[in-house]
Amino acid sequence: IFSGLPAAARSRLLGLYASAFFILLAASPLTTITNVIARRDSSSIYAPMTVAQCTNCALWSVYGFWGAKDVFVWGPNVTGLILGLLQLLLKVLFPSKSTS
């Protein structure tokens, strides 16, 4: 697909594609945000996965910024960290209601 492009252009295009795909992946749990706020119940957000997302994104952001110095590493991961923290905030503000 990108065979006619120079290596730098291929890297940039693939980096943009991967970054966009990751941001969509990190934001996907927030598709229920309207229900969470309307029902004041965050049971649709899985807390252990959100904590894992925040931890993973924080570590990759640190590595990408100070280690690799690559915007395609730290950029989407900072965005994923912010989205994960937003999910955790929703879990704190609107605790899951018990089903029993």
Side-chain angles (χ1 to χ4, degrees):
I1 292 176
F2 303 120
S3 62
L5 296 174
R10 282 194 306 262
S11 293
R12 180 162 173 74
L13 282 173
L14 290 173
L16 288 171
Y17 172 76
S19 296
F21 188 76
F22 175 74
I23 290 169
L24 287 174
L25 176 71
S28 63
L30 292 174
T31 57
T32 63
I33 193 168
T34 54
N35 288 335
V36 169
I37 294 171
R39 292 186 294 141
R40 303 183 71 77
D41 177 18
S42 64
S43 59
S44 62
I45 298 173
Y46 188 55
M49 186 66 75
T50 303
V51 171
Q53 175 182 338
C54 289
T55 304
N56 179 55
C57 289
L59 292 172
W60 276 108
S61 296
V62 169
Y63 169 73
F65 190 76
W66 282 292
K69 296 178 180 27
D70 187 349
V71 70
F72 291 125
V73 176
W74 66 261
N77 281 290
V78 166
T79 305
L81 176 61
I82 292 167
L83 292 169
L85 291 172
L86 177 59
Q87 292 172 56
L88 287 178
L89 179 66
L90 288 172
K91 289 296 279 181
V92 170
L93 293 177
F94 307 114
S96 299
K97 295 179 180 172
S98 64
T99 56
S100 55

